[in-house]
Amino acid sequence: MGSCSLIVSPTLRACGPRPRRYRAAHSPRSLRPAASQRARLFQHLLKQGELGATIDEMTIHTGMPVNVVCPRRHELEAKHIVVNSGQTRLTSHGR
């Protein structure tokens, strides 16, 4: 059983990301790390292009633990920024 690969949403890729403007003074401190982590994952997925990246690959290449990557990935999917490519690959553990 392989791990599913995620890619940047084709719709988003065609139109480009919609910039959001947040003022640090008005954003709760607890949300700032999550936004930064989402940005790191998004940048990594942009670099991967059509190949995308599995959760396992994102943890390896970003240095973030899986318990951080999974919720951030879910948030990106919920906002339709990334989509499941339907492709699977073996994990680093051979599963």
Side-chain angles (χ1 to χ4, degrees):
M1 174 181 218
S3 181
C4 287
S5 172
L6 296 168
I7 59 171
V8 174
S9 168
T11 305
L12 183 70
R13 189 178 293 279
C15 301
R18 286 178 265 156
R20 292 183 179 228
R21 303 210 185 271
Y22 293 109
R23 293 184 56 178
H26 294 112
S27 63
R29 287 179 188 255
S30 62
L31 295 180
R32 290 183 203 160
S36 173
Q37 292 161 350
R38 280 190 303 273
R40 284 176 57 194
L41 289 178
F42 180 71
Q43 289 299 318
H44 176 67
L45 289 168
L46 278 177
K47 288 179 190 173
Q48 294 304 107
E50 294 299 315
L51 177 64
T54 64
I55 296 294
D56 189 50
E57 293 165 345
M58 286 187 274
T59 60
I60 293 167
H61 294 287
T62 63
M64 292 189 283
V66 71
N67 65 325
V68 171
V69 171
C70 285
R72 301 300 85 84
R73 176 212 46 100
H74 178 72
E75 293 162 0
L76 290 170
E77 273 190 300
K79 293 179 179 189
H80 305 287
I81 295 172
V82 299
V83 294
N84 187 328
S85 69
Q87 300 174 12
T88 59
R89 293 193 283 278
L90 290 178
T91 67
S92 61
H93 301 288
R95 294 183 182 178

